[in-house]
């Protein structure tokens, strides 16, 4: 809702306008978003509450009752914006703040945003829009079997390029998304897109590649994670054996029976699980024998340390031996040189990822890689 006593005519023509009984204009912005323009700024709270009270009752349609909720973000001219575009940005931020409080809420930009970090809120609303408008992108890094020098799959890595802020690296916006409760939505977006893509590649090239998806511990720990995962698998019609889930070692540290059961259920679906960034946790290896995981991904820092000579190599060799003793496969991350590759081969590591083979690639670039490697 925008309180904009001036010219409703300034409203961009692309939107259809309707006028209500009080003579106020409203527009459908997109999907389920509407803008209501109120002339009288003294009536903001009353109007917002009136609208919310309408949504507390069911709607009747063909003998059925439907319940719906509404969230409203309010901006006021001229304090929160001197033109429609600015007012919409402010209203959007306020809307986001209202949505976080879940269901039938409104928030006024001025009041609710006070004391909040504007930059953080701007990022939050931009990220929220990036999900909604599908402007996030997945890149894929090849995973190679070094025993056969064959491409076996890829890791999906998220990219976000905001038109104003530019490229924002995932290790910056993922923790941010975790803080502001957007991570599960992002995680589901990544799963859905990665699974659609692996289907396309496997069908087009008649191959059986596996895509690895990073799942944040916050998303993973959600009560309905498995149900949601199952529904995405059904929706995308992917064979679960073509999906691998990467969970960081850190998120396995404080394990309990609940987490163990969850991992078991995921395995029962036929999905592979690997422990990401292995070696960066607190060296508590207890969880490894409890968790029915399939693979360890040795963190890049260990691969880099192999250059230090014997002790660096000994560490990597010890991790590989430990993994094999537990019947786990090993993936070395961040392999950049032939020298590193040779050492890993000599110590019976199975898989590698790294710039030596390829950086993460866009979908189009990756398609060319498949052709190069497999055909
Ligand atoms: P990660 O899961 O450990 O991913 C590996 C990171 O190492 C990627 O960085 C990759 O581009 C980079 N890398 C791969 N090979 C090499 C190499 O040879 N040398 C060097 N220097 N770097 C290499 P990226 O894509 O910037 O991702 C950073 C982190 O962001 C990821 O670390 C992961 O923790 C997180 N992330 C990325 N995408 C997602 C996602 O979809 N969901 C979640 N929850 N986290 C994600
Ligand atoms: Ca990873
Ligand atoms: Ca990693």
């Amino acid at each position: 809702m925008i309180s904009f006593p001036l010219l409703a005519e300034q409203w961009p023509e692309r939107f259809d306008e309707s006028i209500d009984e009080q003579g106020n204009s409203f527009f459908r912005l997109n999907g389920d978003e509407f803008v209501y323009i109120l002339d009288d700024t003294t009536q903001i709270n009353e109007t917002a509450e009136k609208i919310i009270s309408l949504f507390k009752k069911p709607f009747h349609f063909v003998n059925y009752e439907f319940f719906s909720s509404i969230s409203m973000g309010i901006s006021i001219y001229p304090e929160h914006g001197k033109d429609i575009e600015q007012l919409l940005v402010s209203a959007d931020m306020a809307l986001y703040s209202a949505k976080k409080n879940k269901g039938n809420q409104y928030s006024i930009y001025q009041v609710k945003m006070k004391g909040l970090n504007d930059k953080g809120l701007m990022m939050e609303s931009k990220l929220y829009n990036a999900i909604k408008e599908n402007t996030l992108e997945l890149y894929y890094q090849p995973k190679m079997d070094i025993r056969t020098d064959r491409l076996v799959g890829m890791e999906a890595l998220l990219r976000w390029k905001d038109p104003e802020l530019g490229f924002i690296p995932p290790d910056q916006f993922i923790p941010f998304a975790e803080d502001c409760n957007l991570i599960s939505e992002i995680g589901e977006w990544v799963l859905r897109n990665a699974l659609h893509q692996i289907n396309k590649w496997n069908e087009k090239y008649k191959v059986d590649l596996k895509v690895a998806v990073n799942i944040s511990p916050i998303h993973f720990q959600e009560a309905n994670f498995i149900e949601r995962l199952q529904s995405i698998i059904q929706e995308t019609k992917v064979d679960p054996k073509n999906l691998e889930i990467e969970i960081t070692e850190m998120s396995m540290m404080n394990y309990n029976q609940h987490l163990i059961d969850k991992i078991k259920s995921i395995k029962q679906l036929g999905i592979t699980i690997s422990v990401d960034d292995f070696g960066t946790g607190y060296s508590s290896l207890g969880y490894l024998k409890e968790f029915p995981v399939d693979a360890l991904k040795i963190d890049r820092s260990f691969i880099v340390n192999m250059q230090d000579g014997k002790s660096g190599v000994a560490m990597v060799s010890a991790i590989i031996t430990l993994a094999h003793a537990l019947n786990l496969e090993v993936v070395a991350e961040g392999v950049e040189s032939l020298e590193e590759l040779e050492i890993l081969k000599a110590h019976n590591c199975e898989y590698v990822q790294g710039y030596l083979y390829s950086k993460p690639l866009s979908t189009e670039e990756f398609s060319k890689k498949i052709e190069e490697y497999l055909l």
Side-chain angles (χ1 to χ4, degrees), residues 141 155 158-159 170 190 214 276-277 300 333-334 336 354-355 360:
Q141 186 177 42
E155 176 175 4
L158 198 53
R159 299 288 176 260
V190 171
N214 293 285
D276 203 357
D277 304 342
R300 187 176 116 76
E333 289 191 302
E336 294 187 359
Y355 295 170

Side-chain angles (χ1 to χ4, degrees), residues 278 285 288 296 317-328 330:
F278 184 78
L285 298 176
L288 269 188
L296 300 185
S317 162
I319 295 176
I320 297 173
T321 307
L322 170 77
H324 289 167
L326 292 168
N327 257 332
L328 306 174
V330 183

Side-chain angles (χ1 to χ4, degrees), residues 187-240:
E188 290 197 6
W189 183 94
V190 171
L191 274 167
R192 198 169 275 121
N193 283 273
L195 293 183
H196 273 302
Q197 191 54 54
I198 195 68
N199 273 349
K200 278 192 198 160
W201 277 326
N202 282 340
E203 275 165 32
K204 178 167 180 198
Y205 296 108
K206 308 263 178 298
V207 286
D208 197 21
L209 301 174
K210 183 185 282 196
V211 67
V213 171
N214 293 285
I215 297 290
S216 148
I218 294 178
H219 185 194
F220 190 76
Q221 277 157 22
E222 283 200 346
N224 65 352
F225 177 77
I226 298 200
E227 289 76 23
R228 300 290 305 142
L229 180 63
Q230 269 178 306
S231 93
I232 293 172
I233 287 174
Q234 273 163 14
E235 173 195 323
T236 52
K237 300 191 177 67
V238 81
D239 185 337

Side-chain angles (χ1 to χ4, degrees), residues 107-119:
S107 93
I108 302 176
Y109 178 72
Q110 188 184 25
V111 179
K112 290 271 170 153
M113 312 296 123
K114 221 174 181 180
L116 280 176
N117 175 347
D118 245 21
K119 194 167 168 245

Side-chain angles (χ1 to χ4, degrees), residues 94-143:
L95 173 65
Y96 188 68
S97 160
K99 278 194 172 167
K100 273 180 70 172
N101 298 327
K102 296 223 166 100
N104 289 335
Q105 301 276 343
Y106 72 95
S107 93
I108 302 176
Y109 178 72
Q110 188 184 25
V111 179
K112 290 271 170 153
M113 312 296 123
K114 221 174 181 180
L116 280 176
N117 175 347
D118 245 21
K119 194 167 168 245
L121 208 67
M122 181 185 70
M123 274 273 278
E124 199 171 320
S125 91
K126 277 180 177 296
L127 190 53
Y128 177 72
N129 282 328
I131 306 168
K132 225 170 43 180
E133 287 157 17
N134 224 1
T135 54
L136 294 172
E137 198 182 344
L138 283 180
Y139 269 51
Y140 297 90
Q141 186 177 42
K143 179 172 153 187

